[in-house]
Amino acid sequence: MDRELTMELLVTYDVDTTTPDGARRLRRVAKVCEAYGLRVQKSVFEIVCSDVDWMIMKKRLLDVIDGDQDSIRVYQMNAGALGRAQHLGRSPEAPHGAPLIY
Amino acid sequence: MTELLRTLFVSTPGTSLHLEGDTIRIHHPERPGRHIQPLIRIDQLVVWRGVDVSDELMLRCLADDRGITWLSRNGRFLGRAGGAQLGNPLLRLEQVRAYDDAARRLTIAKSVVAGKLQNYRQLLLRIARDADGARQSDIRAIAERHAEALIAVASCGSLTELLGIEGNAARAYFEGIPLLAKGVPPGRSRRPPENPFNCVLSFCYTMLKVSVIGALEHRGLDPYIGYLHGVRPGKPSLALDLMEELRPLLVDRLVLTLFNRRRITAAHTRSDPAGGVALTDEGRAVVLTEWSQARERAWRHSGLNRDVPAALLPIVQTRLFARHLRGDEPAYTPWIAS
């Protein structure tokens, strides 16, 4: 049935960058996250997607990371939680539903 | 059902759009920082002349079936890229056969006009409810004209007659515009629009046209072969046909609200020496913001018995139209707000 954008996720990651290989994995994790959501901090993304999108994204992330050294945590939020997020300091507001006009 | 995705509007000249991984990077020399948007959330791009779309991004959009529409600086429809031609050739043949068959052509045209009249009537009655005194009865009188026109449509026997009925109702509506939006002069003017109201109206009709043409091409129908609007080179008749029922509530209602709430003021438009009125950059941004938000509003669809966001109505109606052409439905049922 409908592929509705029902999931709101907060994705945070910690990728070991002491080796060149780790730095490459970090860039790749960021690339995958960028394809699905909006970056709110250096390694924190807010994502609004369908459950199908999340399954594909999870697969892509698992293909990239090294399970022994890297960590990704995904928090599933209640609907609307991302929109209600408060921000202090210079962290940007992620305009999930905002019109895309440039 | 397609998921509700969003349109990326880019009108600032000098902006360039690039493909970066699975995102669109939006670059303008005077805007620092890296601006990216996930492609997955965007279902179409609408760009104005002066915006550069990179080859790589264009090819990716074509591959993913994400339409790109180009508009002139004045908001005229220039063209659209939508990947390889889709749909069923049998459907396209049927579209032409229905055009050649005078009776079928008239039946479709009547449905389209009936949808438009009914939705304008709805719009007028809703506004009348909040009005009082002479203004209320004047608006009700126009709504009554639309109700009478609806009855006339049912029994009308030719396309010329149908166009006459529709034209009279439209004239009554546009003469009554000052009753609906305070301080707006009566009448409809286009090419060029002669006042800010008509300018915003034309702009929003173009935005609606962009989505209807996109929906038709996606379904494999030819937007240029229509039934009510006749066939002329360069005239997307079928898109204009299907727009009729959507105009009153998706466009007119929004534009009336913009003026009544003073979201659009004189500063948002400018006159050119030829007597036309155009939106300023700031005005365009205001209208696009409101348009984007209005697209997300859900409307009741009685035929499907569910709520449909405004952004998907052109797609839904195009499917119903194709169903009628293929003979699965005896008639085309326009979308009517309940």
Side-chain angles (χ1 to χ4, degrees):
Chain A
M1 245 323 257
D2 295 14
R3 274 187 70 200
E4 277 166 14
L5 305 173
T6 49
M7 296 194 92
E8 294 200 1
L9 307 173
L10 187 70
V11 177
T12 65
Y13 54 80
D14 210 351
V15 177
D16 178 50
T17 53
T18 47
T19 61
D21 194 42
R24 208 181 64 231
R25 290 201 306 278
L26 176 74
R27 280 196 301 277
R28 285 189 181 170
V29 169
K31 278 248 177 282
V32 172
C33 292
E34 280 175 350
Y36 291 87
L38 304 174
R39 188 174 221 148
V40 289
Q41 283 178 353
K42 283 199 175 104
S43 45
V44 179
F45 279 81
E46 291 182 3
I47 290 167
V48 180
C49 66
S50 69
D51 40 8
V52 178
D53 292 333
W54 164 235
M55 281 194 285
I56 300 170
M57 182 184 174
K58 183 155 82 179
K59 165 85 170 63
R60 287 176 66 179
L61 288 172
L62 287 172
D63 286 348
V64 171
I65 57 167
D66 174 341
D68 295 330
Q69 302 183 58
D70 309 331
S71 142
I72 297 180
R73 291 187 73 85
V74 179
Y75 304 87
Q76 185 159 357
M77 316 297 278
N78 293 329
L82 293 180
R84 288 192 298 273
Q86 303 184 19
H87 60 279
L88 309 172
R90 60 180 291 271
S91 90
E93 195 164 6
H96 291 286
L100 302 174
I101 299 163
Y102 286 86
Chain B
M1 190 62 55
T2 326
E3 57 186 288
L4 178 53
L5 296 170
R6 297 188 299 155
T7 308
L8 174 66
F9 298 99
V10 188
S11 69
T12 312
T15 307
S16 55
L17 306 177
H18 308 269
L19 179 68
E20 196 170 296
D22 295 313
T23 65
I24 295 184
R25 185 162 57 84
I26 300 139
H27 173 76
H28 190 278
E30 284 159 28
R31 285 190 46 167
R34 177 162 169 266
H35 303 278
I36 58 168
Q37 286 290 341
L39 267 171
I40 192 170
R41 294 294 307 279
I42 296 171
D43 80 328
Q44 61 164 345
L45 274 67
V46 176
V47 299
W48 275 253
R49 185 182 273 253
V51 174
D52 211 34
V53 182
S54 83
D55 289 350
E56 280 308 311
L57 176 60
M58 201 175 326
L59 293 175
R60 171 67 187 266
C61 287
L62 297 184
D64 293 355
D65 210 9
R66 188 178 289 106
I68 307 178
T69 300
W70 283 267
L71 302 174
S72 76
R73 294 305 311 164
N74 291 325
R76 201 161 44 80
F77 182 85
L78 291 176
R80 185 176 182 279
Q85 184 150 30
L86 299 164
N88 187 335
L90 298 172
L91 182 63
R92 281 196 284 278
L93 279 174
E94 214 42 51
Q95 188 188 350
V96 178
R97 284 193 195 113
Y99 175 81
D100 278 337
D101 180 334
R104 280 180 83 183
R105 185 175 168 193
L106 181 62
T107 312
I108 295 172
K110 277 164 121 176
S111 298
V112 161
V113 172
K116 172 186 185 167
L117 291 170
Q118 173 62 18
N119 284 339
Y120 267 122
R121 195 175 146 264
Q122 281 274 354
L123 174 70
L124 289 163
L125 289 177
R126 255 179 230 189
I127 298 172
R129 238 179 2 224
D130 299 329
D132 41 29
R135 187 170 157 250
Q136 185 180 56
S137 50
D138 287 351
I139 297 173
R140 289 224 167 108
I142 306 174
E144 187 54 34
R145 295 272 303 266
H146 281 72
E148 285 160 12
L150 256 174
I151 296 165
V153 164
S155 59
C156 105
S158 75
L159 207 55
T160 328
E161 203 184 323
L162 182 65
L163 285 167
I165 297 167
E166 190 239 321
N168 284 335
R171 201 167 310 116
Y173 170 80
F174 280 108
E175 285 309 313
I177 285 290
L179 295 166
L180 311 175
K182 221 174 166 185
V184 172
R188 172 86 175 116
S189 55
R190 50 206 190 102
R191 279 188 236 122
E194 285 158 10
N195 60 52
F197 183 81
N198 274 287
C199 157
V200 176
L201 203 59
S202 294
F203 181 86
C204 290
Y205 284 154
T206 305
M207 294 302 117
L208 180 62
K209 187 159 78 184
V210 164
S211 43
V212 174
I213 291 181
L216 289 171
E217 288 190 345
H218 193 254
R219 186 95 310 217
L221 287 162
D222 184 340
Y224 291 85
I225 299 176
Y227 302 92
L228 174 67
H229 285 87
V231 168
R232 258 203 289 144
K235 183 174 176 181
S237 297
L238 185 57
L240 296 172
D241 286 1
L242 291 189
M243 276 169 68
E244 294 290 1
E245 70 204 53
L246 303 172
R247 282 173 187 230
L249 297 162
L250 302 193
V251 175
D252 288 59
R253 185 177 167 281
L254 173 72
V255 178
L256 288 169
T257 308
L258 286 179
F259 277 80
N260 282 328
R261 296 209 180 133
R262 307 206 179 285
R263 294 281 293 121
I264 289 284
T265 62
H268 288 127
T269 55
R270 58 182 157 71
S271 311
D272 56 41
V277 172
L279 280 166
T280 61
D281 292 346
E282 198 198 334
R284 184 168 47 230
V286 171
V287 177
L288 283 175
T289 305
E290 299 285 339
W291 173 255
S292 302
Q293 282 160 0
R295 273 166 57 86
E296 302 201 4
R297 183 201 154 134
W299 291 88
R300 192 73 198 158
H301 197 293
S302 51
L304 303 179
N305 205 18
R306 55 169 281 177
D307 287 344
V308 177
L312 293 186
L313 279 171
I315 296 170
V316 166
Q317 288 308 114
T318 299
R319 283 183 188 172
L320 291 178
F321 188 73
R323 227 187 261 174
H324 165 58
L325 282 182
R326 282 196 307 257
D328 296 342
E329 296 282 347
Y332 168 66
T333 315
W335 168 69
I336 287 166
S338 49

